[in-house]
Amino acid sequence: MGNRGMEELIPLVNKLQDAFSSIGQSCHLDLPQIAVVGGQSAGKSSVLENFVGRDFLPRGSGIVTRRPLILQLIFSKTEYAEFLHCKSRKFTDFEEVRQEIEAETDRVTGTNKGISPVPINLRVYSPHVLNLTLIDLPGITKVPVGDQPQDIEYQIKDMILQFISRESSLILAVTPANMDLANSDALKLAKEVDPQGLRTIGVITKLDLMDEGTDARDVLENKLLPLRRGYIGVVNRSQKDIEGKKDIRTALAAERKFFLSHPAYRHIADRMGTPHLQKTLNQQLTNHIRESLPALRSKLQSQLLSLEKEVEEYKNFRPDDPTRKTKALLQMVQQFGVDFEKRIEGSGDQVDTLELSGGARINRIFHERFPFELVKMEFDEKDLRREISYAIKNIHGVRTGLFTPDLAFEAIVKKQVVKLKEPCLKCVDLVIQELINTVRQCTSKLSSYPRLREETERIVTTYIREREGRTKDQILLLIDIEQSYINTNHEDFIGFANAQQRSTQLNKKRAVPNQGEILVIRRGWLTINNISLMKGGSKEYWFVLTAESLSWYKDEEEKEKKYMLPLDNLKIRDVEKGFMSNKHVFAIFNTEQRNVYKDLRQIELACDSQEDVDSWKASFLRAGVYPEKDQAENEDGAQENTFSMDPQLERQVETIRNLVDSYVAIINKSIRDLMPKTIMHLMINNTKAFIHHELLAYLYSSADQSSLMEESADQAQRRDDMLRMYHALKEALNIIGDISTSTVSTPVPPPVDDTWIQNASSHSPTPQRRPVSSVHPPGRPPAVRGPTPGPPLIPVPVGAASFSAPPIPSRPGPHPGVFANNDPFSAPPQIPSRPARIPPGIPPGVPRRPPPSAPARPFF
């Protein structure tokens, strides 16, 4: 390719791409797209072609580019081109590319000068290009020809604006030197989308076709009609050169010769021509790359910082070092013990806010689940009264008893105490399950060493199971102890006298701990699930449970009370979860068959989880609301009447029932206190001590250290990936540093007064060209004038001034050392030229004042 500057940028971009590819990421440089804008036959395609360095665009007179051409340059090891409309075909001959562009244009627009906004997408793959997008746009025209619509001017302008409005696009505003620059439509369009002039570069073409005696020196020096980024003059190949197969390399040499030999341009020849245009655009690409570096560097540094801590232990890592294995084993076992204790005892470190775990779940078993199981077992009225009746009758035998037998009380109490075994053993099983789950959660940190994790779980779980047997034996022993002696002298026991005077309901409420008139037992959200759709459907309320009532409010502020339900004669029953519902439901109903709420015999309360249901049930137990039994209460009454027809027997049953209630409450209170203590002592505390003091010895005895500390393949791969990522990040940062030091950014040129563009557009709506005869008489060579009296030169809108004064002929060149370079891109040394001829009366070497500002001249 013919763009050496672009080829020098390719290694830099490739380095960046390779660095980011090594860490599994993509480097989004998003290089700017370059769009050429200009009038018809201004030389736009030639400028674009020269930048790429290949002949591939259609050429000719009139409107040749009739559809936008989006040219994507893509770096590749092989060189070829392909079109989006025929992806299967690869073009290696660029003459065929030109023919395909012409054919595809004709397929959509026809052959009679028609235009279309539908772009042609061409991709050129080459080892000599950067990943860039170049856009060749149709030339701006005002008069429709052929099949062109009447509003051809506005259609083309809208089409151009679509492509140049993007903030990352560079605009090459191409204007031929033989037309009035003040009326350049390209510059006016660029001004619309780039008012600051930061991304607009003026390109002056056809300098070799200017009328004799005229030049564009003041424009190219950015003195007349200035732009912020200035102008660059180029000389393209003529149609004759193209037809004569004059290649780009020869054309560049001829262009260079033109600028060096022309008296008006030789002093700025190094800042003119296609090579300088390439250099300028490549510098803009370099600037963009450098502007992208800080964000890329920040991204890499944050990733490197996040890896530093983990990589620190791997920097000097030796997998087979026995010292390292011993140290790692000791640290991991110690950490496992610390984690286990923190999960059981609770800790402020790494608090789980999503669910209960470890010790919190065990606490819930102790104080909610276990008491609920005890109460469910305790208050089975039907069976209890039947058993008391049978016991009294069997003790009296054939005789009719006059007194209440205490043996019946003792027999019933012992039978009730035996029933405690099932909920107590169930409580132990629940705690064991939680301990095993806690062990598994703590060993998750040992996943790097699967054998160590497996052995740790096996040893600790085996120990927990061993302690399970001893704990259950101890609990059964406690129950047997309670059964072995009935202590009727207990201070909380009511005795026979009080038992005969108390009712069952009062007895129940006395047995409930923490009873109080205004005690709030629980607050929380519940959904009333069985309100009909006609009455609004299910609704969520804020419930407040006290020892006397259940109230619900609109919200947690408890200002707007919806209802208050007394707890008298209420019981709880389970309700099956609905088919389409994910809520867990339980119901409250009245044992006397009364409506509980409005016309509802029961209210169904819904929670999000079964754990919430169990927790609410336990709270209702504290308030004296107990679960329903298998049969209804009215059936209980019928059965009781069957067993207690004799009023005397009825009184004896009631007395013993109250005595049993009182004594069982004492035992329950004792068991509820001793169960957590027994489990904590014999199981949980022993397990913690085992992990801290004996686990390491068991691990050493179960397997050798090498097999225990053998890394998993995943861990080894993770370590290697982490180290590779770490070094790749450092290498990428070094590459970014190298690019920063090896490239130079050019500062943004200072703003210039470019209001002439708007003024020109208002005064000269159409391009006008002044005839050559108005500049010089025919046959007269251009004169070289000395300084002209008058004020310093101030740019004046040409569109306004060109009609009032004759243009001033330009001069071949300034006196050496006098010209001040205003070009914003660079200031290379000037090329010596012939001294300007100075009229008599002004000694050589005296600086000339600029020409007057009033007759600002065009440069044609």
Side-chain angles (χ1 to χ4, degrees):
M1 303 292 274
N3 191 338
R4 181 167 298 176
M6 184 188 292
E7 293 183 15
E8 292 173 355
L9 282 177
I10 290 172
L12 298 181
V13 176
N14 286 348
K15 279 185 179 180
L16 271 180
Q17 298 285 10
D18 292 343
F20 274 83
S21 297
S22 65
I23 59 176
Q25 299 178 15
S26 57
C27 177
H28 298 291
L29 286 177
D30 192 22
L31 292 177
Q33 63 184 19
I34 300 171
V36 287
V37 182
Q40 186 175 303
S41 298
K44 301 180 301 303
S45 298
S46 297
V47 169
L48 199 60
E49 216 172 45
N50 288 345
F51 177 71
V52 177
R54 276 284 191 182
D55 293 323
F56 62 93
L57 294 176
R59 310 292 287 277
S61 60
I63 183 166
V64 178
T65 304
R66 293 179 285 134
R67 289 176 61 186
L69 175 69
I70 299 177
L71 172 61
Q72 289 178 276
L73 304 180
I74 301 172
F75 179 79
S76 175
K77 293 182 179 179
T78 57
E79 188 171 71
Y80 64 93
E82 67 177 16
F83 290 90
L84 189 62
H85 60 269
C86 50
K87 275 189 173 181
S88 57
R89 183 180 175 189
K90 293 184 178 181
F91 295 81
T92 54
D93 185 354
F94 281 83
E95 182 62 33
E96 293 180 3
V97 172
R98 176 188 288 119
Q99 294 170 3
E100 179 61 29
I101 292 173
E102 293 173 348
E104 178 62 19
T105 300
D106 292 341
R107 273 195 288 269
V108 175
T109 63
T111 57
N112 194 18
K113 308 297 183 183
I115 68 163
S116 170
V118 180
I120 298 174
N121 289 273
L122 171 63
R123 290 180 178 176
V124 174
Y125 297 83
S126 172
H128 309 292
V129 298
L130 286 173
N131 292 335
L132 274 179
T133 300
L134 310 174
I135 303 171
D136 188 18
L137 295 167
I140 303 168
T141 185
K142 297 182 181 297
V143 180
V145 296
D147 293 335
Q148 295 175 356
Q150 293 300 312
D151 60 345
I152 179 70
E153 177 184 1
Y154 301 103
Q155 284 193 21
I156 292 179
K157 285 184 177 179
D158 289 343
M159 188 190 311
I160 292 172
L161 288 173
Q162 288 179 8
F163 288 96
I164 66 175
S165 297
R166 183 183 172 192
E167 286 298 322
S168 62
S169 64
L170 289 174
I171 305 170
L172 298 185
V174 180
T175 306
N178 53 5
M179 75 163 283
D180 192 348
L181 181 67
N183 295 309
S184 170
D185 289 311
L187 290 174
K188 282 186 278 185
L189 285 176
K191 180 71 173 177
E192 285 184 31
V193 297
D194 181 30
Q196 301 296 322
L198 294 173
R199 51 192 182 91
T200 303
I201 299 173
V203 179
I204 307 299
T205 60
K206 303 188 179 181
L207 290 167
D208 55 331
L209 301 182
M210 294 185 69
D211 292 325
E212 185 178 359
T214 62
D215 59 53
R217 172 178 169 177
D218 285 350
V219 171
L220 295 177
E221 290 176 350
N222 211 30
K223 291 180 179 178
L224 187 66
L225 311 178
L227 281 179
R228 188 165 188 170
R229 290 196 178 274
Y231 299 88
I232 298 174
V234 296
V235 176
N236 296 324
R237 291 173 294 172
S238 66
Q239 189 63 31
K240 181 179 178 182
D241 293 336
I242 295 170
E243 292 172 357
K245 303 298 181 183
K246 185 177 183 180
D247 64 9
I248 289 180
R249 189 182 300 276
T250 306
L252 291 178
E255 180 188 52
R256 177 70 174 165
K257 182 179 179 181
F258 170 81
F259 283 111
L260 288 174
S261 61
H262 197 289
Y265 308 133
R266 65 178 61 175
H267 67 291
I268 53 174
D270 282 350
R271 288 173 283 127
M272 293 293 115
T274 298
H276 184 67
L277 176 62
Q278 291 178 344
K279 176 184 175 183
T280 301
L281 292 176
N282 290 330
Q283 183 60 54
Q284 295 307 306
L285 300 181
T286 303
N287 289 352
H288 183 85
I289 293 172
R290 287 178 60 87
E291 288 168 5
S292 303
L293 293 183
L296 295 176
R297 181 186 287 111
S298 176
K299 179 181 178 182
L300 294 178
Q301 285 175 338
S302 64
Q303 291 181 328
L304 188 67
L305 194 63
S306 65
L307 285 179
E308 284 276 0
K309 188 174 181 180
E310 291 187 69
V311 169
E312 190 64 34
E313 58 181 291
Y314 294 140
K315 284 184 178 177
N316 302 313
F317 186 82
R318 288 178 295 171
D320 299 326
D321 184 5
T323 306
R324 182 200 63 80
K325 290 185 175 181
T326 302
K327 181 181 178 182
L329 177 60
L330 291 172
Q331 288 177 340
M332 288 185 175
V333 172
Q334 184 180 9
Q335 186 61 45
F336 170 72
V338 171
D339 291 343
F340 182 81
E341 186 164 356
K342 281 184 177 180
R343 283 186 173 271
I344 296 298
E345 300 295 340
S347 170
D349 300 339
Q350 300 177 351
V351 178
D352 189 351
T353 59
L354 300 177
E355 62 176 357
L356 295 178
S357 62
R361 294 179 69 92
I362 293 173
N363 178 275
R364 193 169 190 170
I365 292 170
F366 285 159
H367 301 296
E368 292 183 6
R369 188 72 179 270
F370 179 57
F372 179 70
E373 295 294 334
L374 286 181
V375 175
K376 278 174 63 178
M377 175 277 306
E378 177 186 356
F379 292 95
D380 193 341
E381 289 291 328
K382 182 189 73 171
D383 292 342
L384 184 58
R385 289 182 178 274
R386 185 175 63 236
E387 289 171 3
I388 293 171
S389 175
Y390 286 159
I392 292 173
K393 289 180 179 180
N394 287 334
I395 288 172
H396 287 159
V398 297
R399 294 171 284 114
T400 301
L402 298 176
F403 303 101
T404 303
D406 57 347
L407 291 176
F409 161 72
E410 190 170 330
I412 295 300
V413 167
K414 288 182 178 180
K415 190 167 184 179
Q416 292 298 315
V417 171
V418 171
K419 291 181 180 179
L420 293 174
K421 292 183 178 180
E422 183 180 349
C424 289
L425 297 179
K426 184 176 181 181
C427 177
V428 174
D429 291 336
L430 291 172
V431 172
I432 286 174
Q433 189 59 48
E434 287 303 326
L435 282 178
I436 293 174
N437 289 340
T438 302
V439 169
R440 287 175 181 163
Q441 289 169 357
C442 294
T443 56
S444 61
K445 292 185 178 180
L446 309 180
S447 57
S448 304
Y449 303 95
R451 180 73 189 279
L452 176 61
R453 178 178 183 176
E454 180 184 341
E455 285 298 311
T456 303
E457 283 187 12
R458 182 186 65 79
I459 292 170
V460 177
T461 304
T462 302
Y463 182 80
I464 291 174
R465 290 299 179 186
E466 290 175 0
R467 301 307 300 177
E468 174 190 5
R470 296 192 58 180
T471 305
K472 287 183 175 180
D473 290 343
Q474 182 64 31
I475 289 170
L476 293 176
L477 179 60
L478 287 176
I479 294 173
D480 290 342
I481 290 172
E482 291 286 354
Q483 197 177 11
S484 64
Y485 180 69
I486 307 301
N487 181 17
T488 55
N489 287 326
H490 195 284
E491 58 184 3
D492 293 334
F493 187 60
I494 61 174
F496 274 89
N498 291 331
Q500 293 172 350
Q501 298 173 5
R502 296 208 174 193
S503 65
T504 305
Q505 186 67 27
L506 292 176
N507 224 2
K508 286 184 187 178
K509 289 201 172 182
R510 178 170 178 168
V512 178
N514 298 327
Q515 189 75 17
E517 292 183 0
I518 59 172
L519 173 67
V520 175
I521 297 173
R522 179 159 186 166
R523 289 183 171 92
W525 289 99
L526 286 173
T527 302
I528 300 180
N529 210 41
N530 58 330
I531 300 177
S532 64
L533 292 176
M534 298 294 293
K535 297 181 180 179
S538 301
K539 290 184 180 178
E540 192 175 29
Y541 295 103
W542 178 260
F543 279 75
V544 177
L545 176 64
T546 68
E548 298 293 336
S549 65
L550 176 67
S551 305
W552 54 92
Y553 299 82
K554 180 181 179 182
D555 52 40
E556 61 265 33
E557 294 182 1
E558 299 181 13
K559 292 181 180 179
E560 186 178 341
K561 182 184 288 188
K562 294 295 184 181
Y563 196 74
M564 186 178 75
L565 177 64
L567 299 184
D568 296 334
N569 301 318
L570 294 185
K571 284 202 172 185
I572 297 174
R573 67 162 57 114
D574 292 325
V575 177
E576 290 187 6
K577 189 167 66 171
F579 176 70
M580 298 296 293
S581 174
N582 58 356
K583 297 266 189 181
H584 298 263
V585 187
F586 67 98
I588 298 175
F589 67 97
N590 193 298
T591 57
E592 297 180 355
Q593 303 300 316
R594 295 178 181 175
N595 289 346
V596 177
Y597 174 57
K598 295 183 179 179
D599 59 345
L600 299 176
R601 286 296 180 92
Q602 68 176 24
I603 55 172
E604 297 179 2
L605 302 177
C607 305
D608 291 330
S609 66
Q610 185 60 44
E611 288 185 355
D612 290 338
V613 170
D614 293 341
S615 181
W616 271 101
K617 285 181 179 179
S619 299
F620 274 107
L621 289 179
R622 292 182 58 198
V625 180
Y626 301 105
E628 178 193 28
K629 303 307 173 184
D630 294 335
Q631 273 85 15
E633 290 293 329
N634 56 358
E635 293 180 1
D636 293 347
Q639 290 288 341
E640 289 166 12
N641 292 335
T642 303
F643 296 114
S644 56
M645 299 298 293
D646 183 6
Q648 184 179 355
L649 179 60
E650 180 69 23
R651 284 194 301 272
Q652 292 176 353
V653 169
E654 188 66 26
T655 299
I656 292 180
R657 170 71 181 85
N658 290 340
L659 291 171
V660 170
D661 241 2
S662 175
Y663 198 80
V664 169
I666 294 171
I667 294 176
N668 281 351
K669 184 176 180 181
S670 176
I671 290 295
R672 276 192 297 193
D673 182 56
L674 286 173
M675 273 291 294
K677 294 176 180 178
T678 305
I679 293 174
M680 283 297 298
H681 175 68
L682 292 177
M683 184 178 297
I684 297 177
N685 290 343
N686 272 275
T687 302
K688 289 193 295 184
F690 173 80
I691 291 173
H692 282 299
H693 303 303
E694 299 182 45
L695 175 59
L696 190 60
Y698 275 83
L699 285 171
Y700 275 120
S701 64
S702 65
D704 63 285
Q705 178 180 294
S706 298
S707 61
L708 282 175
M709 299 305 294
E710 185 176 345
E711 274 189 313
S712 65
D714 291 341
Q715 174 63 16
Q717 181 65 37
R718 179 175 176 274
R719 185 185 68 252
D720 293 342
D721 290 345
M722 190 177 297
L723 289 172
R724 182 185 58 78
M725 174 77 76
Y726 178 78
H727 292 303
L729 285 169
K730 295 194 75 171
E731 179 63 22
L733 286 170
N734 291 335
I735 290 174
I736 288 178
D738 293 343
I739 293 177
S740 297
T741 55
S742 62
T743 57
V744 179
S745 287
T746 55
V748 178
V752 297
D753 182 11
D754 57 1
T755 55
W756 61 269
I757 298 179
Q758 290 95 327
N759 294 336
S761 63
S762 61
H763 291 289
S764 301
T766 56
Q768 295 189 13
R769 180 182 173 193
R770 189 175 301 278
V772 177
S773 60
S774 64
V775 182
H776 295 288
R780 181 180 174 182
V784 180
R785 300 182 298 115
T788 304
L793 175 64
I794 301 174
V796 176
V798 173
S802 59
F803 296 101
S804 59
I808 299 173
S810 62
R811 53 193 177 279
H815 190 276
V818 175
F819 171 67
N821 180 20
N822 291 328
D823 189 282
F825 290 96
S826 60
Q830 298 176 358
I831 300 174
S833 59
R834 289 184 305 167
R837 291 182 291 122
I838 303 175
I842 300 178
V846 177
R848 295 178 299 163
R849 287 194 299 176
S853 59
R857 63 184 183 275
F859 58 97
F860 44 79

